[in-house]
Amino acid sequence: MRLSFDTSLSEKYNSSAQKIRVMSESWLGDNMYCPNCGNPRISHLTNNSPVADFQCDNCGEIYELKSKNGNLGKKIADGAYSTMIERITSDSNPDLFLLQYSKSLSVTELLLIPRFFFVPDVIEKRKPLAATARRHGWVGCNILFGEIPQQGKISVIQNSRILDRQNVIQNYDRIKQLRTKSIDSRGWLLDVLSCINDIPKTEFNLSDVYGYVEVLQKKHINNNNVEAKIRQQLQFLRDKGFIEFLGKGQYRKAL
């Protein structure tokens, strides 16, 4: 796997955004394997595909790519808000590759966010474009990258270092255990997981998580028994090996 873009691909384009799109998509197609099944290549989809950029010919997993110069930050600009919400609440939502590149047009970071880590709460609705804009009234969105639990950010390249392929595949395989059947259950699971991540201790107790009841109630206003829902999610995370139950309301985070 090489880290530098092929700059010759951008020569016929004038727009900087077009140049980066062509170079980054070519780079991913030439270098990236499928984290879901380990297939050595993922194939570039046709340009008129409305949802995604790449697909694995072996397992059918679909991937989208977004690239950014410099630090990814807490927010990542995306397309139309309504389209994004429709996608993440459907069964066809793609996994997302986030690529960070340097001024020298070399890949410095590559993260994979599995599709089941996307919920409406991590999509921010932007203000409509002004009446003077060419697409006036259009409403875009931002992906709130900082709101996605750390477990859903799988590193492929880190600090310009290519991580072991088998470890990436194993990490993805492990995180697939957090897939849920509905968007509501997905939201609860990720919200409780974020609360656990926020607890500074490796070992914590049930009352530590109950300290987030008010936060969770604001996110799930139609639920009248938040504590019971917390216990349900803790049991799920315990069964999947993401936390360990120590007895008497005590837990330990899995490393």
Side-chain angles (χ1 to χ4, degrees):
M1 183 184 289
R2 61 180 174 83
L3 296 181
S4 58
F5 288 162
D6 182 356
T7 56
S8 67
L9 298 172
S10 66
E11 293 175 355
K12 63 179 181 180
Y13 297 95
N14 295 319
S15 164
S16 296
Q18 285 181 316
K19 290 180 179 182
I20 292 299
R21 179 184 61 79
V22 169
M23 290 188 292
S24 61
E25 289 183 0
S26 175
W27 178 89
L28 197 75
D30 289 343
N31 292 277
M32 193 60 209
Y33 52 90
C34 177
N36 184 53
C37 71
N39 194 37
R41 285 286 180 269
I42 53 177
S43 300
H44 197 285
L45 295 175
T46 56
N47 288 334
N48 61 358
S49 176
V51 174
D53 300 309
F54 297 88
Q55 185 171 29
C56 175
D57 295 331
N58 182 53
C59 69
E61 194 74 11
I62 300 174
Y63 301 95
E64 184 181 12
L65 171 66
K66 289 194 176 299
S67 304
K68 186 175 181 181
N69 181 11
N71 197 294
L72 291 173
K74 294 183 178 181
K75 296 182 181 183
I76 298 166
D78 204 275
Y81 175 78
S82 58
T83 302
M84 185 63 168
I85 294 299
E86 181 180 351
R87 282 170 51 183
I88 67 172
T89 55
S90 72
D91 294 331
S92 59
N93 187 39
D95 293 347
L96 177 64
F97 279 116
L98 291 176
L99 186 154
Q100 180 179 311
Y101 61 93
S102 65
K103 291 182 179 179
S104 61
L105 299 179
S106 179
V107 179
T108 57
E109 303 282 340
L110 183 65
L111 292 172
L112 174 65
I113 302 178
R115 63 186 182 278
F116 43 90
F117 271 81
F118 285 98
V119 291
D121 279 353
V122 302
I123 307 300
E124 179 183 59
K125 188 175 185 179
R126 298 206 303 261
K127 293 181 179 180
L129 293 183
T132 54
R134 181 172 59 86
R135 293 189 296 166
H136 65 274
W138 182 84
V139 179
C141 70
N142 296 315
I143 299 172
L144 299 179
F145 179 68
E147 298 296 316
I148 298 172
Q150 62 187 29
Q151 290 84 353
K153 301 170 183 176
I154 301 173
S155 289
V156 180
I157 295 173
Q158 192 174 63
N159 296 324
S160 300
R161 182 171 64 91
I162 301 165
L163 302 186
D164 181 76
R165 176 185 302 200
Q166 197 56 41
N167 285 343
V168 173
I169 294 170
Q170 289 174 355
N171 289 339
Y172 186 87
D173 188 60
R174 179 172 182 262
I175 212 68
K176 283 190 290 188
Q177 297 180 83
L178 295 183
R179 286 182 295 192
T180 56
K181 294 181 179 179
S182 72
I183 193 72
D184 181 65
S185 58
R186 185 192 307 173
W188 267 108
L189 176 61
L190 299 183
D191 285 342
V192 172
L193 184 59
S194 292
C195 294
I196 293 171
N197 290 341
D198 192 57
I199 297 171
K201 303 174 290 184
T202 301
E203 294 189 6
F204 61 96
N205 55 49
L206 186 57
S207 62
D208 290 326
V209 193
Y210 281 169
Y212 294 87
V213 164
E214 186 175 345
V215 173
L216 293 169
Q217 184 69 79
K218 289 180 180 178
K219 287 191 170 187
H220 303 273
I221 57 175
N222 295 321
N223 188 285
N224 296 317
N225 200 343
V226 174
E227 292 185 354
K229 203 68 178 179
I230 287 173
R231 294 193 298 271
Q232 180 190 60
Q233 303 311 310
L234 290 175
Q235 181 175 339
F236 181 87
L237 290 167
R238 180 204 66 187
D239 293 345
K240 299 300 182 181
F242 287 84
I243 59 174
E244 180 184 355
F245 181 57
L246 304 177
K248 297 182 179 180
Q250 298 290 319
Y251 297 87
R252 181 188 293 123
K253 300 177 185 179
L255 300 178

